[in-house]
Amino acid sequence: LRRVKGGIMPTDLEKLLVLLPHWCEHNAEHAAEFRAWAEKADVARADILEAAEHLERANRALEAALEKLGGPLPTSHHH
């Protein structure tokens, strides 16, 4: 945290430590939704599954970044 006029503001690193888990959760929800809809997509099934795989790969990169930054803040929670 850094002190600024009018109060205390989180640093960019602290913001990232909250945002990264949120982004991972959000991506995982979308990937699961893509996989469910892919089953109904007929000829587009493979493309939608590929999109889900891209989100899952993105999550692995985001999780690696989070680990390098020291992990999520203990008080971080998802919405």
Side-chain angles (χ1 to χ4, degrees):
L1 294 172
R2 62 183 173 203
R3 190 168 295 283
V4 295
K5 186 176 182 177
I8 297 175
M9 298 293 295
T11 65
D12 288 341
L13 175 59
E14 289 167 325
K15 288 179 189 177
L16 270 174
L17 295 178
V18 172
L19 287 171
L20 285 165
H22 170 74
W23 292 339
C24 287
E25 180 181 317
H26 188 77
N27 285 348
E29 290 169 355
H30 280 301
E33 188 175 10
F34 288 0
R35 289 186 181 286
W37 279 100
E39 299 306 316
K40 304 168 187 167
D42 195 22
V43 297
R45 179 181 182 274
D47 299 304
I48 296 171
L49 288 175
E50 182 179 354
E53 290 169 10
H54 283 291
L55 284 176
E56 290 159 352
R57 279 195 298 273
N59 267 5
R60 288 193 292 277
L62 293 173
E63 289 164 358
L66 182 61
E67 186 176 322
K68 288 176 184 172
L69 294 172
L73 291 179
T75 58
S76 70
H77 59 279
H78 310 295
H79 53 277

